[in-house]
Amino acid sequence: MNPASRTPLAPDELKRIHAWWRACNYLAVGMIYLRDNPLLKQPLKVEHVKHRLLGHWGASPALSFTWAHLNRLIKRDDLDVIFMAGPGHGAPGVLGPVYLEGTYSEVYPDKSADAEGLQKFFKQFSFPGHIGSHVTPETPGSIHEGGELGYSLSHAYGACLDNPELIVACVVGDGEAETGPLATAWHSNKFINPIRDGAVLPILNLNGYKIANPTILARISHAELEALFVGYGYTPYFVEGDDPDTMHQAMAATLETAIADIRAVQQAARASGVAERPRWPMIVLRSPKGWTGPKEINGHKAEGSWRSHQVPFSDVRSNPAHLQLLEDWMKSYQPEALFDTDGRLVPELRALAPTGTRRMSANLHTNGGLLRRDLKLPDFRNYAVDVQQAGKALHENTQPLGEFLRDVMRDNPTNFRLFGPDETASNRLQAVYEVSKKVWMADLLPEDADGGELSRDGRVMEMLSEHTLIGWLEGYLLSGRHGFFHTYEAFAHVIDSMFNQHAKWLDISKNHVPWRASVASQNILLSSTVWRQDHNGFSHQDPGFIDLVTNKSPSVTRIYLPPDANTLLAVADHCLRSTDCINVIVADKQKHLQFTTIDEAVVHCAKGIGIWARASNDAGVEPDVVMASCGDVATQEALAATAILRESLPELKLRFVNVVDLYRMQPASEHPHGSTEREFDSLFTTDKPVIFNFHGYPWLIHKLAYRFKNHENLHVRGYKERGNINTPLELAILNQTDRFTLVIDVIDRVPGLSARAAHLKERMKNEIILNLAYAHEHGTDSDDITNWVWPY
């Protein structure tokens, strides 16, 4: 039997739940329209209405309806539940319940549970200087804003990982369900282990419309919709209609069934110790858009139409008929029966909400920093590459990092996971498989035992959807845990928007919401980088993700480009200890020359930028030129150019500067990791030419450093969109980041050197021509290039 046909609510309980929901809807309309007269104790006047009507009504009733019924079961069965609101601009449907539960007044005492506080609560919504119409970081109980659609479900699944008692109720908007990120997130149910993880209860709200268009899933048949979710691996339950009493009974029965299904799955798996993939329940809630709002406005359908998406009518201040319509609408919720004369929710309705941290608005998982425990980190020095002589031996830079992360995972078995799109071994991090495999709850085949590295209880998360992976990680971090994400550099752009949204969330939380406790930083490794795409070609060449990062708030963004394995270890250790930031690390996976001992790496990374004395010959005097580098391949080519110059022009005074922390190239006034003017001038001088070999697009360095005195003498080489199937040196030559071009740059830029070093310049031109010809004939670089080592 369909659980929606049951009637589990007694008449008195039905009456109370409906009244609590009416109070939520009353608050939602008040937030959108009113700035005064919160209890309608006198007829509405123009001055009671906001100047700015920017709230969104459409999804609000369904959100508060779901919240009310979840509260019933949380209180009855002592459940641990958090709420994820996917529909865009859905804040009115969440803020109302948060206020009625008392949490909002606890966090913001001026929004007290009385008429005065209610007036301030109404006025602040979607109002300049106050809160937005999304479920922003200022909203208690939220770890998902919904400003950009598509991420609610992946955030929900990330929050339930390693939270065995937690249920995440995730309301997915049917407009949101049309996005790519949301579509892939339905597959998250193949990665949930019922023994050690919690559960997600997806609730698809089919209200039929987006801003001005029908939604796809609302306009297909019931059979097709059911088949879709059965195909995704769910057991779908349907709650459909518009009559409140019938819908209350249906929702109460269906939620009871869904929660019972979840608990039955978990209890069976935990009792037997056998984890298999079940058919997790999900609910399709079909209700009218703008439910309980005006049925018709000016002869046009309102409730159940796209017209109720934002404000059903916006001319309230100039149209007396609409002002009266607004008053009638609000009075239809019978506020006099919901609030006492002082503006407090009546006692019998206050008693419906759970108490303490069982309230979804006060659940500790939604302020995850309160639950966060520092990682138990092994000493990263124990994984160091032994560098006897700088620049002599080759090593894969990311392989020691994999060994370090292996032991981080071993020592933190319930609060650390590794996320990446099918590239763990490709990015040389496969050492983690020694302690934990890739979680896989879908079917297993016999051949998987032969190197497949799959396990029901793995802690490595792999799926070929960067959207879903980063969504999992964000949900995992915001609910109090730690993680590490890695991907190919060129394809990090898949998550550009998700990075943007998380950076904005962290910025607001860190700088404007003091009650939010610090969460672990989001750590992103970009590997398989632009300069080592010998066979992948042009499609895999794009170092521009870091350009995007520099557009976000300096308080929450960090970028590191370690030149070798030991500096990468030092950077990774620092990032795993940090909070409230997004740390982007750029490090290639191929073999590279190793330049720093672990002790040198620690010092160099602590400074973020510094002179490499072994590559310089200007000690005690002013340099003629500064050779600078940032990035592993860029550093090797810059060092090779330096060696040529020192051998051919021994009288030239040359200083070599390496940058690990990219933001050290920005003024301290603009970024907390920036350099002071004195620091920058000391390293780069105020008037000498600086040849800067950069991993990424060259104009990024100019963007960061343009305020410094010597910027006019700063000449940056970097990737310029020139490449295809190239050898490493050929790609560098095409983009003018190779050693020969850098030598020519120095000859051209140092005063008096052009004529004196003309023969050297000609030799460099010849080398460019010869090496390109060699690459095209042999398909590889010459031995002189591939076997080059630092000669000093």
Side-chain angles (χ1 to χ4, degrees):
M1 184 180 72
N2 189 327
S5 64
R6 294 172 49 222
T7 56
L9 298 177
D12 286 349
E13 190 174 24
L14 170 63
K15 181 180 177 181
R16 287 193 298 272
I17 289 178
H18 184 60
W20 198 88
W21 181 49
R22 292 203 325 268
C24 292
N25 291 335
Y26 180 82
L27 295 183
V29 180
M31 277 182 267
I32 294 169
Y33 281 98
L34 295 190
R35 60 174 295 162
D36 201 355
N37 195 17
L39 295 175
L40 302 185
K41 290 187 175 182
Q42 54 183 322
L44 276 181
K45 300 177 182 178
V46 169
E47 56 266 29
H48 296 152
V49 183
K50 289 180 178 178
H51 286 278
R52 297 166 58 92
L53 302 178
L54 297 178
H56 288 239
W57 166 245
S60 297
L63 290 169
S64 55
F65 177 81
T66 304
W67 192 296
H69 282 275
L70 287 166
N71 269 355
R72 168 178 170 263
L73 296 181
I74 292 169
K75 183 159 185 173
R76 190 191 73 182
D77 299 334
D78 192 31
L79 301 177
D80 192 6
V81 181
I82 65 175
F83 191 90
M84 207 79 77
H89 300 283
V94 172
L95 287 166
V98 173
Y99 180 80
L100 293 182
E101 289 183 345
T103 308
Y104 210 88
S105 299
E106 293 169 9
V107 174
Y108 304 105
D110 63 320
K111 312 302 186 302
S112 48
D114 53 28
E116 180 183 357
L118 189 56
Q119 179 177 328
K120 293 178 180 178
F121 182 70
F122 281 177
K123 180 179 178 180
Q124 70 166 354
F125 177 76
S126 200
F127 201 78
H130 294 281
I131 64 171
S133 60
H134 307 291
V135 190
T136 61
E138 294 93 340
T139 305
S142 172
I143 60 170
H144 170 80
E145 175 169 329
E148 181 176 343
L149 301 179
Y151 313 136
S152 61
L153 197 56
S154 58
H155 284 166
Y157 275 102
C160 89
L161 295 171
D162 298 314
N163 264 330
E165 300 307 315
L166 184 67
I167 297 173
V168 186
C170 180
V171 180
V172 176
D174 51 353
E176 179 187 28
E178 297 177 10
T179 66
L182 200 288
T184 60
W186 291 113
H187 289 296
S188 301
N189 59 5
K190 285 83 172 176
F191 297 86
I192 300 303
N193 183 315
I195 295 176
R196 64 171 184 199
D197 298 326
V200 172
L201 177 59
I203 303 167
L204 174 64
N205 178 217
L206 288 183
N207 63 31
Y209 294 91
K210 304 185 283 288
I211 294 176
N213 213 43
T215 58
I216 294 171
L217 295 184
R219 294 291 185 95
I220 63 177
S221 71
H222 186 288
E224 189 176 352
L225 186 65
E226 184 173 21
L228 175 68
F229 288 105
V230 169
Y232 271 129
Y234 294 91
T235 297
Y237 296 113
F238 288 78
V239 177
E240 302 172 289
D242 60 359
D243 175 68
D245 284 357
T246 303
M247 289 290 279
H248 280 304
Q249 293 287 8
M251 191 63 169
T254 303
L255 269 179
E256 281 194 12
T257 300
I259 298 296
D261 288 353
I262 288 171
R263 289 304 190 221
V265 165
Q266 292 173 332
Q267 289 167 7
R270 293 167 190 179
S272 67
V274 177
E276 297 292 344
R277 180 170 72 93
R279 281 196 171 274
W280 295 102
M282 61 87 62
I283 296 173
V284 177
L285 172 61
R286 190 188 295 269
S287 60
K289 196 174 186 74
W291 195 12
T292 74
K295 304 290 185 184
E296 186 178 286
I297 300 172
N298 297 335
H300 298 291
K301 184 177 181 180
E303 183 192 69
S305 162
W306 58 267
R307 288 185 172 87
S308 67
H309 177 78
Q310 296 189 358
V311 289
F313 42 91
S314 59
D315 57 348
V316 191
R317 297 180 63 85
S318 59
N319 187 327
H322 284 179
L323 183 65
Q324 185 61 51
L325 180 59
L326 173 61
E327 182 174 342
D328 293 343
W329 178 12
M330 295 194 71
K331 284 185 174 179
S332 73
Y333 296 119
Q334 302 174 305
E336 68 281 358
L338 307 173
F339 302 93
D340 63 23
T341 56
D342 295 324
R344 290 176 58 83
L345 191 67
V346 296
E348 67 173 327
L349 298 185
R350 290 204 304 271
L352 292 179
T355 59
T357 57
R358 279 297 191 243
R359 293 172 294 178
M360 290 187 288
S361 56
N363 191 295
L364 295 179
H365 294 99
T366 63
N367 190 359
L370 297 174
L371 300 173
R372 179 182 61 86
R373 306 188 311 273
D374 289 341
L375 287 172
K376 180 182 178 183
L377 292 176
D379 188 345
F380 67 93
R381 296 169 181 80
N382 294 336
Y383 308 86
V385 174
D386 184 15
V387 178
Q388 298 290 334
Q389 289 183 288
K392 303 293 187 185
L394 293 167
H395 205 285
E396 293 171 338
N397 284 350
T398 55
Q399 183 257 324
L401 172 65
E403 297 173 353
F404 176 59
L405 294 176
R406 172 198 64 201
D407 293 346
V408 173
M409 189 172 286
R410 178 200 64 199
D411 296 341
N412 301 272
T414 61
N415 67 334
F416 178 82
R417 293 200 182 208
L418 180 68
F419 302 79
D422 192 32
E423 294 158 3
T424 303
S426 176
N427 285 330
R428 310 297 193 265
L429 304 177
Q430 67 270 23
V432 296
Y433 296 147
E434 296 172 23
V435 298
S436 186
K437 308 298 185 182
K438 295 174 282 189
V439 62
W440 188 257
M441 297 301 298
D443 292 349
L444 291 171
L445 302 177
E447 56 265 33
D448 294 330
D450 184 19
E453 307 291 0
L454 302 178
S455 171
R456 298 299 193 206
D457 62 353
R459 305 190 55 74
V460 178
M461 310 293 291
E462 283 196 0
M463 178 179 174
L464 203 52
S465 167
E466 289 89 344
H467 288 125
T468 301
L469 288 163
I470 205 74
W472 289 343
L473 175 58
E474 288 170 358
Y476 199 64
L477 297 174
L478 290 170
S479 53
R481 282 73 60 74
H482 306 255
F484 198 93
F485 173 78
H486 62 99
T487 189
Y488 284 7
E489 179 183 48
F491 308 128
H493 287 295
V494 173
I495 60 162
D496 278 2
S497 289
M498 296 190 74
F499 160 80
N500 284 338
Q501 295 301 318
H502 191 62
K504 290 174 185 291
W505 178 281
L506 289 178
D507 180 27
I508 296 297
S509 298
K510 184 176 184 177
N511 298 311
H512 304 286
V513 187
W515 53 266
R516 282 201 178 270
S518 292
V519 295
S521 293
Q522 183 182 86
N523 301 305
I524 299 175
L525 171 68
L526 306 182
S527 194
S528 190
T529 57
V530 56
W531 301 107
R532 287 295 184 265
Q533 294 302 331
D534 307 4
H535 67 281
N536 285 318
F538 197 37
S539 65
H540 284 54
Q541 297 168 7
D542 189 326
F545 185 78
I546 56 178
D547 293 58
L548 173 77
V549 176
T550 63
N551 294 332
K552 297 296 113 183
S553 169
S555 68
V556 299
T557 53
R558 308 287 185 264
I559 302 172
Y560 303 98
L561 293 98
D564 63 6
N566 287 339
T567 50
L568 176 56
L569 285 169
V571 164
D573 179 80
H574 167 78
C575 292
L576 289 173
R577 296 178 188 275
S578 69
T579 58
D580 296 331
C581 287
I582 302 178
N583 299 308
V584 178
I585 308 169
V586 183
D588 188 56
K589 65 187 183 183
Q590 305 291 0
K591 288 186 176 181
H592 294 272
L593 291 174
Q594 302 300 305
F595 298 105
T596 61
T597 66
I598 192 63
D599 291 335
E600 291 170 339
V602 169
V603 173
H604 186 43
C605 292
K607 294 186 298 182
I609 186 173
I611 296 172
W612 279 11
R614 67 172 65 91
S616 307
N617 64 356
D618 69 324
V621 299
E622 196 169 7
D624 298 312
V625 64
V626 177
M627 182 73 75
S629 68
C630 183
D632 38 34
V633 173
T635 295
Q636 182 166 314
E637 288 302 304
L639 284 168
T642 300
I644 294 171
L645 288 165
R646 287 182 58 179
E647 179 183 357
S648 304
L649 301 170
E651 74 283 4
L652 182 72
K653 296 303 179 186
L654 188 147
R655 174 179 298 172
F656 193 93
V657 175
N658 180 258
V659 179
V660 175
D661 184 340
L662 184 60
Y663 281 115
R664 295 291 280 154
M665 293 300 296
Q666 195 169 28
S669 60
E670 301 301 313
H671 194 281
H673 284 204
S675 296
T676 66
E677 191 170 293
R678 286 185 176 182
E679 289 172 331
F680 195 90
D681 292 348
S682 176
L683 288 171
F684 293 103
T685 78
T686 58
D687 58 358
K688 296 296 187 290
V690 179
I691 311 302
F692 197 112
N693 212 31
F694 180 48
H695 171 87
Y697 292 109
W699 36 87
L700 179 56
I701 297 298
H702 290 293
K703 168 187 169 180
L704 297 175
Y706 78 96
R707 290 188 178 183
F708 288 114
K709 289 178 183 175
N710 203 27
H711 179 254
E712 65 180 25
N713 289 315
L714 179 60
H715 309 287
V716 185
R717 295 296 186 181
Y719 184 69
K720 296 193 290 187
E721 288 293 309
R722 296 171 187 168
N724 207 317
I725 305 300
N726 308 116
T727 67
L729 182 66
E730 180 192 11
L731 184 61
I733 290 172
L734 293 178
N735 291 277
Q736 299 180 305
T737 62
D738 63 287
R739 60 197 70 184
F740 310 122
T741 300
L742 296 176
V743 170
I744 292 171
D745 269 351
V746 171
I747 294 171
D748 288 345
R749 306 292 184 185
V750 174
L753 200 57
S754 181
R756 184 157 50 93
H759 289 278
L760 176 59
K761 183 174 180 179
E762 286 299 301
R763 179 158 63 91
M764 295 299 99
K765 291 179 180 179
N766 295 344
E767 289 286 355
I768 290 172
I769 295 169
L770 292 171
N771 278 280
L772 287 176
Y774 189 95
H776 288 181
E777 180 179 354
H778 299 282
T780 185
D781 290 322
S782 68
D783 290 346
D784 289 344
I785 299 299
T786 56
N787 296 330
W788 180 85
V789 296
W790 177 246
Y792 293 96

